[in-house]
Amino acid sequence: MSRLILCADEFALSPEISSTIVTLAQAGKLNAVSCMAGMPGWREEARRLADLPAHVEVGLHLTLTGEAPLTTMPRFARDGVMPSIAPLARAASRWQVPLGELVSEIAAQFDAFAEATGGPPAFVDGRHEAHALPGIRDLVLAESAARAPGAWVRNCADRLTAMLGRPFAATALRSSWRFRGLGAAARAAGLRTNDSFAGQYDFAGDYRSLFPKLLRHPGEMHLVACHPGAGTRAGDGIAAARIVEAQALQDLPIADMAAKQGLAFPA
């Protein structure tokens, strides 16, 4: 039977977000949590992971945009903050990213994850999909293969018919284009990936009505990313949407909805 992986991103971005994610996982509403091991509060927040049900996969949400790095990055983070995704994507497309600095930062975030959790991540992905960018993807796959050979890597590519059969198809198509070739590259590195993906939307509107549509046209391992949370944080443009998502996920009969699409959940 195909599986639904419902993954909450950005654990450790704030205590309120982390607490919300743990609460939802304990309620059987999530079966994967993606962690920002580069955040200042990561070590303290990571203690909450011990409260997750045993079946919940814990992964590394590599953070290469918008935050302070763990390492010295004089070219990549000139003002002490990593670039936002738009300029980073432009630089990567021109092969103008200082990849040597990225090697050290990616390794440092793997180190921080392992030190706090006691082991490698179950999966690896990137905030704002930065792990798929030219040059950067090679570094991420190499580090993942060396440090977490049993992990799977997030792939936001999907079949055209599947993307067209869900809302926000244009956003999904742009994302899928960025990920072209990543699945083959991951397999060449001995890593697995999910084979279908959903979760893109405009962070507005009725998430409760949107969610069941994200389960349409699944593959064997259908990954749906979400961003539940609470509270506010400076610069967090989706703070209001996090609250809406959290309430919808808490209320929805996710396992029953998944079963209607032939998806096992939460296992």
Side-chain angles (χ1 to χ4, degrees):
M1 189 177 188
S2 298
R3 298 174 60 212
L4 169 63
I5 307 297
L6 182 51
C7 181
D9 286 353
E10 299 184 338
F11 181 94
L13 183 62
S14 75
E16 295 83 3
I17 290 171
S18 298
S19 179
T20 300
I21 290 172
V22 170
T23 297
L24 287 168
Q26 290 173 332
K29 303 296 182 171
L30 302 167
N31 59 353
V33 174
S34 197
C35 303
M36 300 174 74
M39 296 301 294
W42 161 243
R43 281 187 173 275
E44 182 175 352
E45 294 303 304
R47 298 189 186 121
R48 300 175 186 241
L49 297 172
D51 297 327
L52 294 176
H55 70 270
V56 176
E57 294 186 275
V58 178
L60 174 59
H61 199 55
L62 285 168
T63 304
L64 305 176
T65 57
E67 303 292 342
L70 294 177
T71 59
T72 302
M73 305 183 83
R75 293 177 59 199
F76 189 75
R78 293 175 183 171
D79 298 318
V81 177
M82 293 181 277
S84 60
I85 187 59
L88 177 57
R90 287 194 295 271
S93 69
R94 299 166 185 158
W95 293 90
Q96 294 175 344
V97 175
L99 296 178
E101 293 182 4
L102 268 295
V103 169
S104 298
E105 180 63 23
I106 291 168
Q109 292 188 29
F110 267 88
D111 288 341
F113 183 96
E115 288 165 5
T117 66
F123 60 90
V124 178
D125 57 46
R127 192 184 192 200
H128 301 139
E129 303 177 355
H131 68 294
L133 294 174
I136 296 175
R137 71 167 58 183
D138 298 326
L139 304 182
V140 172
L141 292 175
E143 194 72 15
S144 299
R147 303 283 294 274
W152 53 271
V153 178
R154 179 177 298 184
N155 186 2
C156 298
D158 207 337
R159 294 157 291 136
L160 177 62
T161 53
M163 291 184 287
L164 293 177
R166 305 186 195 112
F168 297 94
T171 304
L173 286 165
R174 287 193 295 270
S175 180
S176 188
W177 176 254
R178 178 176 289 174
F179 278 79
R180 65 194 186 278
L182 185 139
R187 288 190 295 274
L191 297 165
R192 300 171 294 128
T193 68
N194 53 292
D195 61 355
S196 61
F197 179 82
Q200 304 100 331
Y201 76 113
D202 59 1
F203 295 104
D206 184 2
Y207 189 78
R208 190 183 305 267
S209 297
L210 172 67
F211 181 79
K213 300 171 185 175
L214 303 178
L215 306 182
R216 295 173 178 170
H217 311 292
E220 290 299 310
M221 182 178 175
H222 185 54
L223 172 61
V224 175
C226 59
H227 297 78
T232 59
R233 180 181 185 270
D236 184 9
I238 64 169
R242 294 183 195 278
I243 297 170
V244 173
E245 285 192 34
Q247 188 61 61
L249 293 171
Q250 183 66 50
D251 295 343
L252 289 170
I254 296 174
D256 293 340
M257 296 164 66
K260 289 180 181 179
Q261 297 293 336
L263 290 163
F265 179 86

